[in-house]
Every structure is written in C-alpha cells, then in structure tokens.
Amino acid sequence: MLAVLVVAVALAAYGTPARASGAALAAAIRSGDVRAIATVYGGDRYGLEMFPERESGLSRTSSGQMVLWTSSTGRLYRTQLDWPVDSTGADSTSVDLARTIDATARAARVSAPSIGASAMRWWTRLGLPLAVLEVAAFLLLVVGPQPRRKTKWGTFWSFGLPAGLGVAWWVLRDAPWNSTMIRVPAPAPRVRGLLPSGIRRMGGGAAFLGLSVLLGSLLSAGLFGLLAYGDRQNPPAGSVTWSVVRTDGTTTTVSE
C-alpha cells in the first residue's frame, strides 16, 4: 500500500504545473523548447492542485490570458500573459493568442508548438491514481476495524492532508496496517482520549481542526510553493520579444 502510494504521489507531483513568467515562455517559444500549449484556460486541476488559481499564484480577474504549456523535457508550466495596451488603445482582449505564438516562433525561425487544450488532457490523468487510492482508503476505513490512534472520523479528516500524507500516516501508524496497533484491543467507535492501552486517541473534531485545517493549510502552502518553483529563470528585461497579433490582423512587437 505504501509503495503504491509513493508512486501515485510521485505521478501527481510530476503533473503539477510550475509557474513561469511571460518572458520565460517567450524565450522558450523562440528557442523551440515548447512542445505544446493550451491557449484556453478552463480551470482544470492538474496533479496535486486543489484550487489552481490560488495555488499557482494566478488571477482570473486580470485582463491577461492564462496558458498551460509543456517544455521539450515534458515539464508542465502555467503562465499568465498580461499584454500592454497598444497605441491604438487595444487591450489584451484583442490579442489573437494562437497567431501570436505562431508569429513569435516564425520570427525566431523555429517550429511553432502544437496549440490546443487536447494536447494537455493526458496531464489531468496523472493525479488520478492518487485520487483512486484515497477513495479506496476511505472505503477500507468504512468497512474495516476501528483505528486505535484516531476514531474513524479522525482518520477520515486526516486524509485531508495534501499529497496523501494522511493515508501514509494511517498505513504506517495505525490498524489495520500497523502490526503493533492491530494487537491493541479495539476501542468503541466514539471513544476518545487516553485508552487503557496507554494510547491517546484523537477524535474527529480535533483531527478536523488540528490536522485537516491548520496543519493541512501549512503543508499545502509549503508543498505548492515548492512545486510551483520552476526551473525557468527570467531572461534579462527587454531581451525577448513577442510578435503580438491582434484580432484585426495588425502585428506589434512587445518586449518582455
């Protein structure tokens, strides 16, 4: 169970997008390092994400456009593009993003990446094994014996910890997985506090507030901060350019 959990978490972590700036994306397009790009942001969750906008540091209230893209190495990135208002007063909503990407690649004399949300669909499946495993853990918790260190509600709320940490703790530390705990007499379902065996049992309320809410929030912030930190360094300001194509067909050069 633990080995399967580690593999599932690794797949989900690999499928979690890192952040990349617009300048980093422009540099990647011009170097031919972008394999595919989705120009329509649908709010889909990828990998370990639960709230994509909050965890990626992006905002849908911006006038810019969000894109999801993969590098030639298969790394997944999420970028928000904020186009400046040009001399005619046209804002970011007038940008034809697909034609802009194509024009920027052609200006650098490299092949344009494939464009479309379909190129990204398989990435959404990398978090599926972990989701299936957590559902299986929940079903086993429901029909299985009483845990010793937490009530069933307490164990359930610990599943709210990110990256399967709650399930991993259950497998390592409590019945029916831990051989020491399974030999401890099973307590009544709602018994909390110090047991005759000397184990202090946590209830659902304490697990919800202490683990799922407080500890879960701290771990999520640290985890997604780590995963969001990509390997894309920002190029020097003004060193890369976009060939921005507006919906009326006009093209302007924008430096990043």
Side-chain angles (χ1 to χ4, degrees), residues 165-204:
L165 290 176
V167 178
W169 185 95
W170 181 44
V171 171
L172 289 171
R173 298 283 291 160
D174 212 340
W177 307 95
N178 185 283
S179 59
T180 300
M181 288 298 101
I182 201 64
R183 290 194 294 268
V184 174
R190 291 183 174 82
V191 169
R192 300 182 297 275
L194 189 63
L195 302 180
S197 59
I199 297 171
R200 187 168 294 279
R201 198 174 193 226
M202 181 182 291

Side-chain angles (χ1 to χ4, degrees), residues 22-211:
L25 174 56
I29 291 174
R30 295 180 67 86
S31 67
D33 192 36
V34 179
R35 178 185 297 173
I37 185 167
T39 59
V40 178
Y41 174 76
D44 294 327
R45 295 185 297 178
Y46 290 85
L48 294 171
E49 290 182 331
M50 295 186 66
F51 306 100
E53 297 161 23
R54 184 187 70 187
E55 290 157 358
S56 63
L58 305 177
S59 171
R60 298 192 71 183
T61 61
S62 169
S63 61
Q65 294 170 284
M66 292 185 193
V67 298
L68 198 72
W69 56 281
T70 59
S71 68
S72 58
T73 61
R75 187 74 170 93
L76 190 64
Y77 297 90
R78 202 189 285 277
T79 296
Q80 180 162 316
L81 299 170
D82 291 296
W83 308 106
V85 176
D86 63 19
S87 58
T88 65
D91 61 15
S92 63
T93 59
S94 69
V95 174
D96 188 324
L97 186 53
R99 292 171 65 188
T100 294
I101 293 167
D102 183 68
T104 300
R106 282 190 289 105
R109 298 182 180 180
V110 299
S111 299
S114 61
I115 299 175
S118 60
M120 301 296 171
R121 283 176 186 162
W122 76 275
W123 284 94
T124 61
R125 300 169 187 166
L126 289 179
L128 186 60
L130 180 58
V132 170
L133 201 61
E134 289 181 333
V135 171
F138 167 72
L139 294 177
L140 179 60
L141 177 66
V142 171
V143 301
Q146 285 293 324
R148 277 43 166 184
R149 297 184 182 276
K150 297 187 188 75
T151 63
K152 286 195 173 186
W153 273 113
T155 304
F156 167 75
W157 287 120
S158 71
F159 290 173
L161 294 176
L165 290 176
V167 178
W169 185 95
W170 181 44
V171 171
L172 289 171
R173 298 283 291 160
D174 212 340
W177 307 95
N178 185 283
S179 59
T180 300
M181 288 298 101
I182 201 64
R183 290 194 294 268
V184 174
R190 291 183 174 82
V191 169
R192 300 182 297 275
L194 189 63
L195 302 180
S197 59
I199 297 171
R200 187 168 294 279
R201 198 174 193 226
M202 181 182 291
F208 173 73
L209 293 175
L211 297 180

